[in-house]
Amino acid sequence: MAEVLLYRDIARQFTGGKAKIQVEAKDVRALLRALDADFPGLGAVLKTEMAVAIDGQIYHDALLEPIGPDSEICFLPAIEGG
């Protein structure tokens, strides 16, 4: 199973502070659905407000990016420029 790392504030709000979660998913879209099923509302927040890193590579539009069984997925606050 892939390991999901959550930003501390998001973990507090949705998972009771649990910042590392094991999830089985083939891509980021499936991962968000699985997280939302276990922690209602989490998937929507991660999809709209966070950037995602898969095995150290950062993606801003990652819904179809594949996830390996041993991948590390990290959700980070999206940085906006101006």
Side-chain angles (χ1 to χ4, degrees):
M1 285 192 172
E3 183 174 66
V4 177
L5 304 174
L6 298 173
Y7 185 69
R8 183 177 47 197
D9 292 340
I10 296 294
R12 277 192 215 135
Q13 184 179 356
F14 289 96
T15 68
K18 189 174 179 183
K20 290 184 182 182
I21 302 168
Q22 299 291 318
V23 179
E24 189 168 333
K26 65 178 182 167
D27 58 29
V28 174
R29 183 182 307 191
L31 174 81
L32 293 173
R33 284 188 198 133
L35 288 171
D36 209 41
D38 290 339
F39 307 102
L42 177 58
V45 169
L46 295 177
K47 181 179 177 182
T48 59
E49 298 179 18
M50 299 283 158
V52 61
I54 303 169
D55 297 323
Q57 176 69 40
I58 297 175
Y59 299 91
H60 292 282
D61 188 20
L63 288 179
L64 299 178
E65 291 297 326
I67 295 172
D70 297 321
S71 288
E72 180 182 78
I73 299 94
C74 185
F75 287 93
L76 307 161
I79 297 173
E80 304 220 3

